[in-house]
Amino acid sequence: MSEFSSPDASLTPEVLTNLPLDSIAIQKILPHRYPFLLIDRVVELERKKRIVAIKNVTVNEIFFLGHFPGNPIMPGVLMVEAIAQTGATLLMTEVPDRASMLTVFTGIERAKFRRQVIPGDQLRLEVSVIVWRRTAVKMEGKVTVDGQLACEATVSCQLVSLNKPEQAEAGAE
């Protein structure tokens, strides 16, 4: 795989705190790609504590084709996913072998939607760590547009290996 199709394990946490991180740098951390990469830029990062990312919402987003024609509104679940991707970016910056790991949801709590998000809006995603463990985190996220709260949720995620169990067993012999 090219460096643009999988996370780049050679990037150290120190390198990844040189801000802002653009979409190319984010793609070296996360495995998400179009149309499901939902953050465009990381503007603040405090290791193991807090991260702030930006998502520019455009009329060209694929989900606007069906949600809703003539009245485009960003689905709330995608705002929660953007919170999770922002938090996963923070978590993955601390993982040295990130190319062999994946961050998966383990929980969503207290998700609330306060304002519609439409084309032209810029989301500010602020995610703070509640609990940090080596392979799992719980985070509180808030999405604002022009200073107005659009969405909030508490998300949990865990690191899992991309190596299939049969491959790991075969390697142990």
Side-chain angles (χ1 to χ4, degrees):
M1 291 185 169
S2 76
E3 67 181 282
F4 296 105
S5 61
S6 68
D8 186 345
S10 67
L11 296 174
T12 64
E14 293 74 25
V15 168
L16 294 170
T17 57
N18 291 330
L19 300 175
L21 298 177
D22 63 15
S23 62
I24 301 300
I26 293 166
Q27 290 178 64
K28 291 180 180 181
I29 300 167
L30 294 180
H32 302 78
R33 297 295 179 266
Y34 176 83
F36 217 66
L37 179 61
L38 297 174
I39 57 175
D40 296 322
R41 183 172 297 271
V42 173
V43 294
E44 297 177 31
L45 189 151
E46 187 178 349
R47 291 179 61 190
K48 298 183 181 182
K49 292 188 176 164
R50 182 175 178 275
I51 186 169
V52 178
I54 301 296
K55 164 66 177 159
N56 294 304
V57 180
T58 72
V59 73
N60 297 321
E61 309 281 355
I62 193 82
F63 51 81
F64 285 138
L65 291 174
H67 199 267
F68 298 97
N71 187 28
I73 300 169
M74 183 175 187
V77 68
L78 293 182
M79 286 187 273
V80 175
E81 173 65 24
I83 289 170
Q85 287 182 20
T86 302
T89 301
L90 181 65
L91 174 60
M92 293 300 279
T93 60
E94 299 294 328
V95 177
D97 58 341
R98 78 180 63 86
S100 66
M101 302 298 283
L102 187 64
T103 306
V104 296
F105 261 129
T106 55
I108 303 168
E109 302 170 29
R110 295 183 290 282
K112 294 186 177 152
F113 307 98
R114 308 287 187 185
R115 174 194 191 281
Q116 291 181 353
V117 171
I118 59 173
D121 285 344
Q122 183 179 72
L123 306 183
R124 180 178 170 90
L125 301 127
E126 299 183 32
V127 178
S128 299
V129 172
I130 298 170
V131 176
W132 183 283
R133 294 193 176 94
R134 188 174 63 83
T135 60
V137 295
K138 185 173 189 175
M139 302 163 284
E140 177 182 73
K142 293 182 190 287
V143 179
T144 58
V145 176
D146 295 328
Q148 295 179 332
L149 186 62
C151 172
E152 59 188 325
T154 299
V155 298
S156 302
C157 62
Q158 179 176 345
L159 284 173
V160 296
S161 174
L162 288 174
N163 297 324
K164 294 188 171 144
E166 57 272 12
Q167 291 173 334
E169 290 173 15
E173 297 180 313

